[in-house]
């Protein structure tokens, strides 16, 4: 079993910053890509940012230049630094990780979600 636990969401005013964290735990052999997705009310689930084990990153156009994804492979943790937040960033943010466990089983794992609310 692999678990992802997110933290760092909350309420912030427009222009403010938040940092999300997501730690993977369990019998982990390796983690390939890690990423953050979000879903706002009435909208589709969308990729916000992703990072490979080698550090290559990919961002949604709407967050480029404002959000930064990073990871600490030793801690099996991925971060999302969100700056210059806008009301349209309001959503539930989900962590995702592609995990190979010690039994060579592959998991496309998801966190429980953390609410980010940006007030205008």
């Amino acid at each position: 079993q692999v678990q992802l636990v997110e933290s760092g969401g909350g309420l912030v005013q427009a222009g403010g910053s938040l940092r999300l964290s997501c730690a993977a735990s369990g019998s982990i052999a390796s983690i390939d890509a890690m990423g953050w997705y979000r879903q706002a009310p009435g909208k589709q689930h969308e990729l916000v940012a992703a990072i490979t084990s080698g550090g290559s990153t990919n961002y949604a156009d709407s967050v480029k230049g404002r959000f930064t994804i990073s990871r600490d492979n030793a801690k099996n943790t991925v971060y999302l630094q969100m700056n210059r937040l806008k009301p349209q960033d309001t959503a539930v943010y989900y962590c995702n990780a592609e995990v190979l466990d010690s039994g060579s089983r592959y998991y496309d794992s998801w966190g429980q979600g953390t609410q980010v609310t940006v007030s205008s």
Side-chain angles (χ1 to χ4, degrees):
Q1 283 279 9
V2 174
Q3 290 185 326
L4 301 182
V5 179
E6 299 145 343
S7 60
L11 173 64
V12 65
Q13 288 188 332
S17 298
L18 284 174
R19 188 190 194 211
L20 305 183
S21 299
C22 172
S25 62
S27 300
I28 298 170
S30 63
I31 301 178
D32 192 4
M34 302 184 83
W36 291 93
Y37 291 73
R38 67 186 181 187
Q39 187 162 25
K43 293 191 176 180
Q44 288 188 331
H45 199 234
E46 64 172 350
L47 173 68
V48 177
I51 184 168
T52 68
S53 57
S56 297
T57 58
N58 182 39
Y59 294 93
D61 287 343
S62 59
V63 307
K64 283 180 181 176
R66 299 188 297 122
F67 291 10
T68 302
I69 190 170
S70 61
R71 63 191 283 174
D72 184 332
N73 290 330
K75 296 181 179 180
N76 292 328
T77 299
V78 63
Y79 305 96
L80 186 67
Q81 178 66 44
M82 304 184 293
N83 298 328
R84 305 201 314 272
L85 281 159
K86 303 175 181 180
Q88 51 264 48
D89 294 317
T90 295
V92 178
Y93 284 69
Y94 297 91
C95 172
N96 173 261
E98 298 173 351
V99 180
L100 186 68
D101 76 2
S102 56
S104 298
R105 289 166 294 207
Y106 173 82
Y107 293 91
D108 185 25
S109 299
W110 291 89
Q112 78 283 1
T114 186
Q115 177 70 46
V116 171
T117 302
V118 185
S119 62
S120 57

